[in-house]
Amino acid sequence: MPLFPLPDPGEGLVEAEIVTWKVKKGDEVTTNDVVVEVETAKSLVELPIPYDGVVRELLVAEGDVVEVGTAIIDIDDGGAGNAETPQSRELASDRSTDPQRAEPDGDTAQVSRPDDLVPEVADDPSARGASTAREANLVGYGPSVGSTTRRRRKSSTDGSSTGSGSGDARPRPKAKPPVRKYAKDRGVDLAAVRATGEDGVVTRADIDAHRQETQPSEDALSADATPSPSAVAGSTDARETRVPVKGVRKMTANAMVDSAFTAPHVTEFIAVDVSATMELVQRLKDDRHFRDVKVSPLLVLAKALVVAVRRHPDLNAVWDGVTGEIVQRHYVNLGIAAATPRGLIVPNIKDAHEMDLHQLAEALQELVETARAGRTQPAQMSGGTITITNVGVFGVDTGTPIINPGESAIVCFGAVQRRPWVVTSDGVERIEPRWVTELSMSFDHRLVDGELGSRFLADLAALLHDPALALVWG
C-alpha cells in the first residue's frame, strides 16, 4: 500500500498547490500514468505515479497547498509493497486512527500539511559535512528516516506539549527547511517560538500560534492568512471578491518587489522608424523556408537584441551582491515575458546567441505555445540573462519594465503603428506615413552606466530601422 509523496520540483521550491486530480478513488493506474496536476510557484506540472495498482484514497483536496514530501495519494499495489517505507506504514496507521485523516471530506488542512514527515531536500549549510545526500538533508531537523514515532496532534483544548522545545534554551531551533523559510518570510525568530513538535521541532502551526499571540493585527492583514469562505466568494453585497495570492502570481509579485527595491532602475526611451523591419517580416512570411514558423516583428527584435549584446557584452552581466562581483555572461539566454492565465512568467531561450533566424523563430514559437498551455517548467525560467517584454500586443506604446531578477536589463517593445514621420532624402525633408514603434529599456545602474545603456538602446533601434546592419555588426 504505497503512499506517494509530493516530489521535490527543484529550483528551491518547497510546496505546490493541488490543481486537478486526474484519478478518483477506485481507479486503476499503471506506472507513469499522470494522476495529478500541481502548480508550483513557477509552473504547472503533471505528476506521474511510480506504481501499478488501485487508488485507495486521495489524501489531499484540489486547491490545497502541500509541502514537498507530503503524502498526496494512497495506492493499493496488491501487496507488492515494493515502495512501502516505515513512514508510509506510520502514515497509514495514523490515518486509520485519526478521524481527521480517515475521512477524505474532513479537515483537509490537517491532511495537506502533516508536520511530522521526513524533511525534503534542501541546501542547508549545517548538513554539508554529512556522508550522504540523504543524511545531509536530515541533520538538525528532527527524526531520522527510520524513525517510527510520530507526534499525535493535540486537541484545541489541550495546551500540553509533546516536545522539549517549550522554553528550553537552544543554540539552533529545530525546524524543517520549509518551516524555516515560512518563519523567515514572516519575520519570525524561531528561537522565540514554542515548539510542540516531537523532539522540539518547530512546526508551521507553532509559528502561526506565535504570530497570533505577538502580532494579532499584522496576522489579520497578512496576505498569506487563509481567507474565510465568505471572503473568497466575495462580500455579502457582491461588491468585492478576494482572490488568494499564491502560485505563479505570488512568486512573480515577490520577485518584482525584490528587483524593484534591490536594483537601482534607470529607464530610457527611443522612438524608431521600423518600416524596413516590417518589409523584412513580410518577405520572410512569403519565403518558403519560413512557412513552418511564425514570423513577427518580435522575432526581428529578438535577433537584433542578440547582435546588440555581442557589441556591448558588458550589459550582459549581473551584480552578485553576495560576493561583491559583476558576473559577465558569454552566452545569451533570452527571456520572453509571457502573460498566462496563471500570471506573468518569463521563460527563456537557452543559448539564443548560437541560433540563426529560423532556429530562433522555432524556439520562440515553442516557448510561447508551452507558456500558453501552462506547461513551462522551472528550468525553462531559470538562468536568463536579458529579457524582452512585448506590450505592443496590447496596443500599448511603451512602459517602464522591472528587471527580471538575476539579470541587468529588460527591453520593452511597444506597438508598431503607422505615424507621420519626417523623412530626409537628398537633403530634402518631407513627412510620410511610416511604421513606427517605441523601445524602452530598464537597466541596473550599479553595473550599467548611462553611456552603456544609451549606446545599447541606440544600436538596438538602429538594427530595427535597418536590419541589414546585422550583416555588418553580426
Side-chain angles (χ1 to χ4, degrees), residues 292-368:
D292 60 332
V293 295
K294 181 179 180 180
V295 178
S296 69
L298 177 62
L299 171 62
V300 181
L301 173 62
K303 186 62 177 179
L305 186 142
V306 172
V307 174
V309 165
R310 187 178 297 118
R311 284 173 58 83
H312 304 281
D314 289 346
L315 187 133
N316 193 40
V318 67
W319 182 277
D320 190 336
V322 176
T323 62
E325 298 173 324
I326 294 174
V327 182
Q328 287 194 347
R329 279 78 170 263
H330 305 299
Y331 56 92
V332 177
N333 288 347
L334 178 58
I336 304 293
T340 72
R342 297 185 177 275
L344 179 70
I345 62 174
V346 188
N348 60 76
I349 300 172
K350 308 297 184 187
D351 294 325
H353 64 290
E354 296 180 350
M355 298 180 179
D356 60 28
L357 193 61
H358 189 277
Q359 291 171 331
L360 193 57
E362 290 179 322
L364 185 59
Q365 183 169 305
E366 181 181 0
L367 178 148
V368 172

Side-chain angles (χ1 to χ4, degrees), residues 358-423:
H358 189 277
Q359 291 171 331
L360 193 57
E362 290 179 322
L364 185 59
Q365 183 169 305
E366 181 181 0
L367 178 148
V368 172
E369 291 175 352
T370 302
R372 287 176 177 172
R375 297 292 181 265
T376 303
Q377 299 302 305
Q380 294 172 287
M381 292 184 285
S382 64
T385 63
I386 189 169
T387 292
I388 296 173
T389 178
N390 183 11
V391 301
V393 295
F394 306 109
V396 175
D397 290 337
T398 189
T400 56
I402 298 177
I403 302 167
N404 197 36
E407 302 174 12
S408 294
I410 178 170
V411 173
C412 180
F413 188 27
V416 179
Q417 302 171 330
R418 295 288 278 178
R419 299 184 189 177
W421 196 259
V422 177
V423 178

Side-chain angles (χ1 to χ4, degrees), residues 13-65:
L13 303 174
V14 296
E15 63 184 16
E17 177 187 353
I18 304 299
V19 177
T20 306
W21 280 108
K22 304 294 186 181
V23 295
K24 61 183 182 300
K25 184 176 180 179
D27 284 355
E28 292 187 6
V29 295
T30 58
T31 301
N32 291 330
D33 280 353
V34 173
V35 296
V36 65
E37 191 175 54
V38 302
E39 182 183 16
T40 70
K42 294 187 175 182
S43 63
L44 203 64
V45 181
E46 292 181 335
L47 298 183
I49 194 75
Y51 323 117
D52 293 344
V54 178
V55 178
R56 290 174 57 94
E57 186 178 353
L58 305 180
L59 304 180
V60 293
E62 292 180 357
D64 284 352
V65 177

